[in-house]
């Protein structure tokens, strides 16, 4: 194991990890804090009992499936990466093509990636039945399957490009591939962040500019008042699949857009304004940039991490491959990505929660209307069947947003 740290990539890995810590310290708003437990309990007490009960019931119904899916896909990734099984599947996929590296990398690699996802298919179907039972999904099985097929399609295309790129670089530059891969992966994250809203999102939703009217005018005026003129507010036809309400901002520069679910437009106007004020907070603080730069550093570090991993002969032997530069190592790389991804989840979530709290504060300051903010949070929790006050450990591990209790308590403090 000691020899793996002699690889020059381990120096680059340390530098990038240092950069990640620095970005985390400098870019994440650590100065916003959730309200006290007492204030949160008070916020829960002020919510309709049915809202609280329905959220708990829905969480109890869906949580087991989510945890089983997470565990199962990790187990399969480890099985494919830490035994020769993955390497054998990849070899088998390349055989009709005379074992050509590109066939092994793309077909074999994608097969291994898909295997780890497809095992969770029955759990996704189970989840769909729960969403329908709770009235949260409006999708038929056909529409559900079409969405699933599209998201597998996105996975296949992304994985194929990344695998062909990675193993192509390894062949072109057997000694310094990790340097190029690291730079390319970082750049790819930035490009994806910019093109995702215009390339991937339209696969799932249709976007139309919000119709002229008092709401649109009020939103555009508010954005101007905020010093952040927007050219457009788009409406997504989310009602085709869900009753959940949401809004978000995505993209960078010219692709940046504020998107409002059509389901949200049934809410009173002030509440839509409050939601968009939160999204403007994200735009104003450049939160997409924060996420993108941290993401770019993380994948660049991951590419160096793979090279460091390659120095661990024991792992390669376990995976049944002689060399990391053989596409048969894709299973081992997938296993490493799965483990690191699982460990990085809580870190990603704490960063996300800080950013979300800052956007909430921005919404409160911009609208000066905590009462509507509270009504909107109550409405969101009721419609989306949110667990308003989940167990602390679960919230810490899996919560990407402050809880409803925290958000309402924050608005009460502001008032
Ligand atoms: Zn947000």
């Amino acid at each position: 194991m000691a020899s793996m740290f002699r690889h020059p990539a381990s120096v680059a890995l340390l530098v990038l990890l240092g950069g990640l810590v620095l970005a985390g310290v400098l870019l994440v708003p650590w100065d916003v804090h959730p309200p006290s437990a007492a204030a949160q309990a008070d916020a829960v007490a002020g919510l309709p009992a049915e809202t609280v009960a329905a959220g708990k019931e829905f969480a109890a119904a869906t949580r087991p499936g989510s945890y089983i899916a997470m565990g199962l896909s990790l187990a399969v990734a480890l099985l494919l990466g830490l035994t020769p099984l993955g390497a054998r599947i990849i070899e088998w996929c390349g055989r009709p093509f005379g074992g050509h590296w590109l066939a092994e990398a793309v077909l074999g690699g994608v097969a291994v990636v898909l295997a780890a996802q497809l095992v969770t298919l029955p759990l996704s179907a189970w989840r769909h039945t729960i969403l329908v039972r709770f009235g949260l999904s409006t999708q038929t099985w056909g529409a559900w399957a079409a969405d699933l097929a599209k998201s597998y399609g996105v996975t296949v295309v992304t994985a194929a490009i990344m695998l062909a790129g990675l193993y192509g670089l390894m062949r072109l530059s057997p000694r310094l591939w990790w340097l190029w891969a690291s730079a390319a992966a970082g750049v790819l994250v930035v490009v994806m962040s910019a093109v995702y809203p215009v390339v991937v999102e339209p696969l799932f939703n249709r976007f139309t500019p919000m119709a002229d009217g008092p709401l649109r005018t009020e939103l555009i005026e508010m954005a101007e008042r905020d010093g952040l003129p927007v050219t457009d507010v788009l409406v997504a036809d989310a009602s085709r699949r869900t009753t959940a309400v949401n809004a978000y901002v995505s993209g960078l520069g010219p692709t940046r857009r504020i998107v409002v679910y059509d389901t949200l437009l049934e809410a009173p106007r002030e509440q839509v304004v409050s939601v968009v004020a939160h999204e403007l907070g994200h735009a104003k603080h450049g939160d997409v940039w924060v996420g993108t730069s941290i993401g770019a550093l993380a994948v660049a570090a991951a590419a160096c991490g793979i090279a460091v991993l390659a120095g661990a002969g024991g792992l390669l032997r376990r995976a049944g491959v002689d060399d990391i530069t053989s596409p048969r190592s894709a299973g081992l790389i997938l296993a490493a990505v799965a483990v690191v991804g699982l460990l990085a989840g809580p870190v990603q979530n704490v960063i996300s929660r800080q950013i979300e709290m800052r956007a909430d504060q921005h919404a409160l300051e911009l609208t000066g209307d905590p009462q509507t903010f509270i009504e909107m949070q109550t409405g969101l929790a009721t419609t989306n069947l949110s667990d308003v006050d989940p167990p602390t450990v679960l919230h810490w591990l899996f919560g990407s947003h402050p809880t409803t209790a925290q958000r309402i308590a924050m608005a009460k403090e502001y008032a």
Side-chain angles (χ1 to χ4, degrees), residues 314-335:
L315 282 179
L316 287 174
R317 262 195 306 283
R318 255 176 202 283
V321 281
D322 322 315
D323 196 326
I324 196 86
T325 61
S326 156
R328 291 174 201 176
S329 68
L332 178 62
I333 292 178
L334 174 72

Side-chain angles (χ1 to χ4, degrees), residues 278-279 282 356 401:
H278 169 99
E279 299 308 324
H282 285 310
E356 293 298 335
H401 285 64

Side-chain angles (χ1 to χ4, degrees), residues 209-223:
M210 183 180 280
D212 273 327
L215 176 62
R216 185 188 160 87
T217 310
E218 189 171 351
L219 294 179
I220 290 185
E221 273 172 12
M222 176 171 69

Side-chain angles (χ1 to χ4, degrees), residues 208-211 216 219-220 230-235 258-260 276:
T208 42
M210 183 180 280
R216 185 188 160 87
L219 294 179
I220 290 185
V230 291
T231 46
D232 223 345
V233 182
L234 300 179
V235 179
I258 290 171
V259 177
V260 180
V276 171

Side-chain angles (χ1 to χ4, degrees), residues 201 205 207 210 215 219 222 233-238 242-250 257-265 267 271-283 288 356 359-360 376-377 380 384 401 407:
E201 282 170 17
N205 281 303
F207 300 95
M210 183 180 280
L215 176 62
L219 294 179
M222 176 171 69
V233 182
L234 300 179
V235 179
D237 59 344
T242 182
T243 56
V245 297
N246 200 4
Y248 60 94
V249 55
S250 66
R257 54 226 226 131
I258 290 171
V259 177
V260 180
Y261 276 23
D262 56 354
T263 43
L264 176 64
L265 297 179
Q271 293 192 22
V272 182
V273 170
S274 182
V275 173
V276 171
H278 169 99
E279 299 308 324
L280 284 173
H282 285 310
V288 177
E356 293 298 335
D360 276 350
M376 179 204 61
Q377 288 301 332
L380 278 176
N384 295 352
H401 285 64
R407 300 176 99 166

Side-chain angles (χ1 to χ4, degrees), residues 28 30 344-357 395-397 399-400:
V28 179
W30 297 109
V347 179
Q348 242 170 322
N349 283 331
V350 69
I351 292 174
S352 169
R353 289 195 300 270
Q354 293 302 118
I355 286 173
E356 293 298 335
M357 278 195 284
H395 178 61
W396 191 81
L397 289 173
S400 62

